[in-house]
Amino acid sequence: MIKLSRKRDREILVLGATGTIGSLVAKELEPINELIRLGSRSKPQYSENMEHFFVDVMTGKGLVDALAGIRKLFLITPDMMDQLGAELRIVEAAVKAGVEHIVKVSAFGAAKQDYMIGCIHRSVELAIESSGATWTFSRPTVCGI
């Protein structure tokens, strides 16, 4: 049984919640009174007040349950085999679940699509742009901290 929040207007799913960027985002969101749901393969140690769902972004396992009742999605995935396919599956599942806003961590220069990583990220950005959801793209010059 999926436990849904009664305050869906403030429900956010942070994917990559055990990664460097995802964990920082989740920690920053916690004190602003948003209802935060974390998605990752293992439960983060910092998440006492946040709901955790098992999500494997590579296979999509757990994604549908994690997206249930979510309005906003923070999307970041690691560099992996078939990153494009994985992120497109996430976007498709998010749209089907009714997610209204997607924040995607992309790559510097993605709009030019003149290198492989940029092409991957821009393809996902284009899918998000045409999804009907509102969106925010972050294009950092360096991945990681």
Side-chain angles (χ1 to χ4, degrees):
M1 176 118 185
I2 300 169
K3 181 179 124 187
L4 297 179
S5 165
R6 284 178 274 155
K7 295 184 179 180
R8 185 177 184 272
D9 63 321
R10 296 184 311 182
E11 188 104 4
I12 300 170
L13 172 62
V14 177
L15 291 178
T18 55
T20 303
I21 295 172
S23 63
L24 289 172
V25 167
K27 289 174 191 175
E28 287 294 316
L29 288 173
E30 186 176 22
I32 62 170
N33 200 27
E34 296 282 339
L35 298 169
I36 310 302
R37 182 178 292 171
L38 307 174
S40 61
R41 290 182 299 190
S42 59
K43 185 173 180 170
Q45 299 302 309
Y46 61 84
S47 63
E48 301 137 8
N49 299 323
M50 296 181 234
E51 196 174 31
H52 177 262
F53 277 67
F54 172 88
V55 175
D56 185 332
V57 295
M58 191 177 303
T59 65
K61 185 177 180 182
L63 190 58
V64 171
D65 289 343
L67 285 166
I70 293 297
R71 232 179 116 196
K72 302 170 189 173
L73 170 65
F74 180 81
L75 170 57
I76 187 169
T77 63
D79 183 22
M80 62 184 168
M81 296 296 294
D82 195 24
Q83 181 174 351
L84 176 59
E87 290 197 20
L88 290 175
R89 281 190 299 274
I90 293 166
V91 171
E92 181 181 352
V95 171
K96 283 183 183 176
V99 170
E100 297 173 10
H101 189 87
I102 300 172
V103 176
K104 181 199 171 354
V105 178
S106 185
F108 180 76
K112 293 181 182 178
Q113 299 186 57
D114 57 0
Y115 64 106
M116 188 173 72
I117 298 297
C119 289
I120 290 169
H121 285 285
R122 185 61 186 145
S123 295
V124 177
E125 289 177 357
L126 290 169
I128 293 169
E129 288 174 5
S130 65
S131 72
T134 58
W135 47 268
T136 304
F137 301 142
S138 174
R139 295 180 176 158
T141 57
V142 178
C143 292
I145 294 176

